[in-house]
């Protein structure tokens, strides 16, 4: 499946924090650079995510803000 | 100002595509790695964004999805 | 690619409204039932969307609200 | 109240998974077709949601992505 | 219709900026306090929004960030 | 840091509801007017949020809907 969301970064799952409804997924996308995702626990299970899994973080462009110092 | 949104990637504005309401901002966050943002034209102007500007892309964790091959 | 976003509805593109930055995509997911999507013009072009294209609408669960009469 | 969010699908609550902060709401919008929503537990209680409740799933167009096979 | 999105602020439309796909809606929610919304042009037309319209801005809790100085 | 998200309301934290992954933050932005935010527990801790903290609620314009009576 090819998705319209244009921002994809390849990485490795470093940590999984499961809650009752959601799971926090911490992905290392470059040495020392982490992206944090919150998805449903069911999705995390359906993707069989585990520490070490090779994944992509995916973000829709309209959800990306810009900041300056 | 310190914002709760946990995903910040530093980069350089490569391209700006202004529309009537929104502006597309293409940011290079690593050599060959681009993140695309859509913000309001007013915000882009208020931040005085231009090609070459040093910026951060900022994303709330609940807007990050996970994908696998 | 398998994405964590759990809500996928199969449908057919009925109409495309291109703007400068975004394109509105109207998808018929059942007879008389339409889902409206706004994605970047670049994404619409990258997916080669046209009236009649078979597509899926995809929504992250945290973006779904519930309403009652 | 009439809301700008254009995507509304009528359905029946099939399952509720309450957490500490959020509640997952699984809605059947057509036979065998489910839409999953995550809302705050307080909202779920305020709407008095229960299995069997008649509801609408509501999604803003900018939160709908498009995918192709 | 009663929606799960918990953040509603009453206000008056101060300005409408229509684009090809989206319309920017500037709402004054208190004297000197404005909230900016971007919705589809079709939604703005469907709600018959005009300068002076009495409206509510509506935001899902998962889309609200927190910042500190 | 200056962020593109244009909607900022100053307020005081009234209540914090921590879960396993997310924390609900209830902010009073005017007497009797509350805005509810859901952020990750880690973000709430990183900002050292407590009842009484002076904060801003921050919302991207594309996440603001409009409703009428």
């Amino acid at each position: 499946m090819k998705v319209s969301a244009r921002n994809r970064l390849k990485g490795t799952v470093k940590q999984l924090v499961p809650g009752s409804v959601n799971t926090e997924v911490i992905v290392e996308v470059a040495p020392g650079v982490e992206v944090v995702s919150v998805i449903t626990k069911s999705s995390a299970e359906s993707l069989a995510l585990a520490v070490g899994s090779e994944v992509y973080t995916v973000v829709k462009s309209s959800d990306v803000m810009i900041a300056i110092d």
Side-chain angles (χ1 to χ4, degrees), chain A:
Chain A
M1 199 164 72
K2 191 179 173 192
V3 185
S4 59
R6 291 171 63 189
N7 299 300
R8 260 157 279 180
L9 296 174
K10 199 171 188 170
T12 306
V13 175
K14 280 297 161 197
Q15 199 185 341
L16 288 164
V17 182
S20 312
V21 169
N22 287 308
T23 293
E24 185 179 56
V25 186
I26 301 177
V27 179
E28 191 176 59
V29 295
V33 181
E34 292 179 349
V35 171
V36 182
S37 162
V38 174
I39 60 177
T40 59
K41 195 180 183 179
S42 311
S43 287
E45 289 169 356
S46 158
L47 295 175
L49 296 183
V51 171
S53 299
E54 295 292 309
V55 300
Y56 298 87
T57 60
V58 180
V59 178
K60 194 172 186 301
S61 297
S62 53
D63 288 328
V64 180
M65 294 164 280
I66 299 291
I68 56 175
D69 272 324

